[in-house]
Amino acid sequence: MSTDQDKGPPDRRAEDRLWRFWVSIAAGTFVVASLLVGLVVLPLREEARFDPWGAICRAIGIRKDAPTATGKSSDPPASSVTWSEGTRLGLLAANPASGGTIVKDTCAACHGEAGVSVDPQQFPNLAGQTQEAIFKQLRDFQTGARTSDIMAPIAQALTEAQTKDVAAYFAAQKPVEAVGSSPSVSANIVELAHIGAPARGIPSCYSCHGQSRSGPEEAPVLFGQSASYLEDQLKKFASAERRNDMFARMRTIAKQLSPEEMHGMAMYYGNSRPAKP
Amino acid sequence: MIAVIVVSSFAMAIHPPSHVEAIDPTTLNTNVEFAECNLGTRVNPDGSVTVRIIATQFEFLPRCIPVPKGQQVTFRVTSPDVIHGFFIAGSNANTMVVPGYVAQLRTVFSTAGNYLMPCHEFCGLGHSEMWALVKVLEGAQWKTDASGKASCEIPR
C-alpha cells in the first residue's frame, strides 16, 4: 500500500537505483582502501620483506610468527619472584599465627621475637616491614638470587607457604621507633630523598619507599633500619654485588650516587623517625 | 582531515604503530627475551638492529641506548607495572608502553647526536626523573662487541 510512496514516483525509481549503486561502490572502495592502507601498506613500509598477511596479523594482534627472541638468557633472573595472582592470593591467605611459631624457633635469635633485631647493624629490623618485602627477600635467599651464608640455609628450610606466614607475622608487628635524634644530614640529601634529581635521572627514595608506596610491590620500608646496614646495602647495589633488585632498579640508582650521598642517605633513613600520619 | 592523516602517514611516517603482541607483565622478570642480558641494542645475525627496553617505575633499562645512523632500528619496549611513555624527542618514535603488550616500532635516525628519551605518560611519583638517552652514532663510533651487543654509559 505504502510501497509506492516510499520508493517515490515510478519515473524516478531507475535514477534512485543508479544513485544507490554508485554510493555503495564509493563507500565500499573507501572502506577497503582504508583497511588496505592501515593494515597493509603502512605496516609494510617498515618491513624488510613483502609479507602482507603477516602485516595484517601483526596489526590486529594475531601474530603468526613467534616473538624474535634472539640471544639466550644465560644469567638467572635478578629475582624469580613474580607478582602474579597466585603470589598475591597466597600472601593474602597467609597465617600470621603459624608464622609466629616459626619465628620463635628460627628467626628470633637474630631478628628478635617481635621483629626488633638484636644487632640492627647486621640483621635488619623486620617489625612493621611490608609482607611483600620480607616474602621476596626470603624467596631470593632460597633461590640464591640474594646471597648470604647465614640466611640461605635458614630460608631454604622453609616452604613457600611458611615464608608467606613469616612475612605476615613480621608485617603485623609494631614498627620500631627509629633510633637516634633529629637528622643531622645536609639539605641536598633531604632533597634527594624527597624530590630526587631530575637532571641525573635519580627518582626520589620517597617515590617507592615512602608511605604512599606508589612504586614496586617489593620496595621495603627504610625508616627504622640501622644507618650502617642501609649504607652497606647501597654500596652492594652500586657494585652489583647485590643484584636481586628486579629490573636493576636499585643498581641503576645506587650507581649514580657518590659515596658521600650514599652515606648521607643512610644517615637520613637510619636516624630519622617516620612522620606520624 | 583525511588528507592531513594520509599525508602525515606517508610523507612524515607519523602513524599509530601497527603491532599488537601480548606478554605477561607479572612474569616479565623471568621472561627470556626481556632478560637483563638481552636488553639494550643488539645487531642480529642478519644485520638488523633490535633494541629491547623495559620501562618500569621509575627508569628505563638500559638508560643509555646507542643506535647506528641511517639504519633501520626496531624498538621493542614493554612494562611490568603501569603505563609508561616511549618518546624519542626529535624523531618520529612515539608510543605508549602498556603493561601486557610489547610496543614495537621501527625508525631510522638520519642525524647523529644525543636524543632525549623521556617517559611521557605519568607513571607515578618518580615520573619526572624517568628518562633515557639515545645516542645516534656514525662511522667508527658505532661498534658492537663479539656477540653483537652495543652499550654506552651516561656519565655520573
Side-chain angles (χ1 to χ4, degrees), chain A residues 30 37-39 41-43 45-48 55 57-63 67-75 77-85 88 195-204 206-208 212 214-216 243 245-259 262, chain B residues 2 5-6 8-22 24-39 42 44-45 50 52 54 56-61 63 72 74 76 79-82 92 104-107 123-131 153-156:
Chain A
F30 181 75
V37 169
L39 292 175
V41 179
L42 286 177
R45 274 157 48 94
E46 297 181 341
E47 299 293 333
C57 289
R58 287 205 311 120
I60 62 175
I62 40 170
R63 289 162 53 86
T68 46
T70 55
K72 289 184 179 55
S73 156
S74 50
D75 301 341
S79 169
S80 51
V81 172
T82 55
W83 297 111
S84 59
E85 195 185 350
R88 290 166 197 270
I195 298 168
R200 295 161 66 195
I202 303 174
S204 68
Y206 192 76
S207 55
C208 295
S212 60
S214 77
R243 44 185 305 125
D245 51 331
M246 285 188 197
F247 313 116
R249 289 183 181 114
M250 277 312 296
R251 274 170 283 162
T252 308
I253 293 168
K255 214 165 61 178
Q256 292 267 93
L257 298 171
S258 69
M262 284 192 228
Chain B
I2 290 172
I5 293 172
V6 170
S8 63
S9 295
F10 280 92
M12 298 151 77
I14 296 172
H15 58 83
S18 59
H19 182 87
V20 182
E21 178 186 339
D24 184 358
T26 61
T27 58
L28 188 61
N29 57 318
T30 54
N31 183 290
V32 173
E33 189 198 345
F34 285 93
E36 249 176 67
C37 57
N38 286 340
L39 296 177
R42 190 176 283 274
N44 303 314
T50 306
R52 292 186 178 81
I54 284 181
T56 181
Q57 286 172 321
F58 298 99
E59 57 153 23
F60 288 103
L61 189 66
R63 283 194 70 216
Q72 190 180 64
T74 304
R76 287 172 63 75
S79 158
D81 37 48
V82 297
N92 68 340
Q104 175 175 301
L105 55 82
R106 296 187 166 96
T107 192
C123 60
L125 286 177
H127 166 69
S128 49
E129 287 81 29
M130 183 171 170
W131 54 265
E153 287 282 334
I154 301 176
R156 188 165 82 189

Side-chain angles (χ1 to χ4, degrees), chain A residues 154-231:
Chain A
I154 295 171
Q156 276 157 11
L158 300 173
T159 66
E160 185 170 341
Q162 283 175 324
T163 61
K164 288 172 179 158
D165 292 346
V166 168
Y169 171 81
F170 280 127
Q173 301 306 305
K174 194 173 179 296
V176 291
E177 283 284 328
V179 290
S181 53
S182 62
S184 58
V185 289
S186 61
N188 64 326
I189 294 296
V190 178
E191 187 175 307
L192 206 52
H194 282 262
I195 298 168
R200 295 161 66 195
I202 303 174
S204 68
C205 310
Y206 192 76
S207 55
C208 295
H209 299 284
Q211 282 168 337
S212 60
R213 301 191 61 223
S214 77
E217 285 88 341
E218 65 268 26
V221 176
L222 298 180
F223 284 117
Q225 300 302 340
S226 119
S228 69
Y229 177 80
L230 292 175
E231 189 175 351

Side-chain angles (χ1 to χ4, degrees), chain B residues 13 75 86-95 105-107 109 120:
Chain B
F75 288 93
F86 174 83
F87 170 60
I88 303 175
S91 78
N92 68 340
N94 184 342
T95 183
L105 55 82
R106 296 187 166 96
T107 192
F109 296 92
H120 71 323

